[in-house]
Amino acid sequence: MLDYTNSDLRLTANQSLSGKTQWISPSNLALIKYWGKYGRQLPRNPSISFTLDTAATTTTLSYRTKETPGDTIKLDFKFDGQPNEAFRAKLVKFLTSIVDIFPFLTQLAFSVESSNSFPHSAGIASSASSMSALALCLCTVEKEIFGTLNDKTEFYKKASYVARLGSGSACRSVYDTMAVWGETPEVVGSSDLYAVPFREQLHEIYHDFHDDILIVSKGEKSVSSSAGHGLMEGNIFADNRYAQANTRFAELQVALKNGDLEAFGQITENEALTLHALMMTSEPSYILMRPNTLAQIELLREFRNDTKLPVYFSLDAGPNLHLLYPDNIAAPVQDFIEATLLPLCEKGEIIKDRAGKGPQEV
Ligand code: DP6
């Protein structure tokens, strides 16, 4: 089994250095959802997602040799230019948990500045973009100091592995367009430990697929994703759900390869509703959809019935509807969104996103 524990990644005594790295990394939207985990961030089922473009985190990581050596993580952290103690504490905890992978983490003093392209607390999952950006920065630091990870495939594989330890879904964000995480016989080379790219297998209709995120509510989630994963352990539907995810994965990857949008839409919508059904049937039960989420779903299905246009929805662990459609029907779909769905969004807010080019080093 792949093991990145590496005691060689240590500075030699009196080695004094400093540097800076910056990555912009996107969020992603899962079509087959990762919901349920075990062990050290291992998924209960395989998942597949669109890598987005507009919704992204920019992270700048500066480092210099610590003045006084020690075993703890030294970190300054700013979010949107402001110190943020809650985020800082989370990051320190994460970095402490990966000292076995990057022993140099306790030898350097770090300063991290992060900001999101999407409005602060727009109810958009930010752990995928932020954790992937951080993992990419850490791999760049390793590369700069130790001259390792020069092979691009190795670089992204390790970045994905490290991102997973920060937040499961983040491991899929390091690849453009679409990525798969979780071992499945459907995808050669797939692994529970890191994501693999899926663009090569994809029908070209999906290359520039739209994902418009309708901001139904910007409120904080009542239950975090991490807590939600935990509740799957007691959910009586859990075993059937994991089996279903595997079957659906097999079906969806056929539709992704041959461009069958109807099958794509049917599986994608069902997955989104299954995710929320699992939340509703957890103990304690909770509901993240809002009345306007359901209203928009009904209006979308009506529109699809009337026009026969292949536009479908998905949901993350939140109330905001993602509208998925190919570029060749963008004009009528966007007219419909503007006239019918936007009035049901909080302050008429929407993030017009699409399958993207993946993370960029600045
Ligand atoms: C519904 O990756 O946020 O978005 O691993 O605890 O950080 P942690 O959870 P997270 O869960 C994502 C759940 C999801 C589905 C998905 O992205 O696959």
Side-chain angles (χ1 to χ4, degrees):
M1 186 151 109
L2 179 67
D3 182 3
Y4 281 118
T5 306
N6 186 351
S7 54
D8 291 343
L9 298 178
R10 275 195 158 275
L11 311 184
T12 50
N14 304 325
Q15 193 178 356
S16 173
L17 39 82
S18 65
K20 187 173 179 172
T21 162
Q22 188 178 51
W23 279 87
I24 302 178
S25 191
S27 187
N28 66 70
L29 183 262
L31 303 170
I32 301 293
K33 310 289 185 185
Y34 145 60
W35 200 241
K37 60 177 169 178
Y38 68 99
R40 196 177 175 188
Q41 288 279 96
L42 298 168
R44 290 282 186 198
N45 62 262
S47 57
I48 184 164
S49 54
F50 272 125
T51 302
L52 300 182
D53 206 35
T54 308
T57 298
T58 302
T59 294
T60 311
L61 184 149
S62 314
Y63 60 92
R64 62 190 150 71
T65 312
K66 263 186 189 172
E67 278 158 24
T68 9
D71 293 335
T72 53
I73 301 290
K74 187 164 165 37
L75 172 74
D76 284 334
F77 179 77
K78 282 188 184 155
F79 184 75
D80 279 345
Q82 300 296 323
N84 186 315
E85 187 45 39
F87 282 178
R88 195 191 81 85
K90 252 180 107 171
L91 273 191
V92 168
K93 197 170 162 211
F94 171 56
L95 294 174
T96 305
S97 77
I98 54 170
V99 169
D100 56 342
I101 296 172
F102 299 122
F104 60 83
L105 285 177
T106 57
Q107 298 179 292
L108 299 170
F110 292 95
S111 160
V112 172
E113 295 211 19
S114 224
S115 61
N116 291 340
S117 63
F118 41 94
H120 184 47
S121 86
I124 302 293
S126 56
S127 67
S129 53
S130 59
M131 281 302 172
S132 55
L134 180 66
L136 288 156
C137 286
L138 292 174
C139 288
T140 300
V141 173
E142 178 192 322
K143 187 174 154 186
E144 279 174 0
I145 300 179
F146 299 95
T148 49
L149 300 177
N150 287 309
D151 179 80
K152 252 186 146 184
T153 308
E154 285 307 313
F155 180 91
Y156 285 101
K157 187 176 182 177
K158 183 161 184 178
S160 179
Y161 181 105
V162 172
R164 168 182 62 87
L165 296 174
S167 178
S169 55
C171 73
R172 298 183 309 241
S173 275
V174 309
Y175 296 111
D176 69 295
T177 322
M178 198 170 267
V180 168
W181 170 39
E183 197 177 329
T184 161
E186 306 299 327
V187 180
V188 178
S190 58
S191 170
D192 284 352
L193 303 177
Y194 48 82
V196 293
F198 196 74
R199 185 185 165 93
E200 293 297 307
Q201 289 96 308
L202 211 52
H203 188 280
E204 62 180 16
I205 191 90
Y206 302 105
H207 285 176
D208 55 359
F209 227 63
H210 288 253
D211 179 347
D212 288 345
I213 311 169
L214 305 173
I215 309 300
V216 169
S217 166
K218 298 193 202 182
E220 280 276 309
K221 282 191 276 194
S222 56
V223 178
S224 71
S225 283
S226 293
H229 286 288
L231 289 173
M232 279 300 281
E233 292 308 300
N235 190 307
I236 61 155
F237 298 114
D239 288 342
N240 284 338
R241 156 61 192 161
Y242 304 137
Q244 175 195 55
N246 279 283
T247 313
R248 279 187 177 158
F249 191 102
E251 290 165 5
L252 181 65
Q253 62 94 27
V254 174
L256 291 172
K257 285 176 182 165
N258 67 13
D260 180 347
L261 290 179
E262 204 177 321
F264 163 89
Q266 201 247 324
I267 299 164
T268 298
E269 291 195 350
N270 239 310
E271 266 297 287
L273 294 175
T274 301
L275 170 70
H276 285 259
L278 290 165
M279 295 171 184
M280 291 187 228
T281 54
S282 289
E283 286 186 35
S285 152
Y286 62 107
I287 302 177
L288 296 186
M289 285 191 280
R290 310 296 310 144
N292 278 351
T293 314
L294 286 176
Q296 288 181 337
I297 289 174
E298 291 193 337
L299 288 165
L300 172 72
R301 287 185 162 175
E302 244 169 63
F303 174 75
R304 196 168 61 223
N305 242 349
D306 294 346
T307 61
K308 309 291 177 232
L309 291 174
V311 48
Y312 304 97
F313 74 84
S314 184
L315 293 159
D316 246 331
N320 304 321
L321 211 66
H322 287 244
L323 283 201
L324 304 170
Y325 53 94
D327 193 47
N328 58 13
I329 59 163
V333 171
Q334 286 169 2
D335 286 349
F336 160 71
I337 293 173
E338 193 93 358
T340 313
L341 300 184
L342 269 197
L344 297 170
C345 291
E346 187 169 341
K347 298 200 180 122
E349 211 166 302
I350 179 172
I351 297 172
K352 292 183 178 166
D353 216 329
R354 56 206 294 172
K357 57 190 178 309
Q360 307 293 316
E361 190 173 6
V362 184

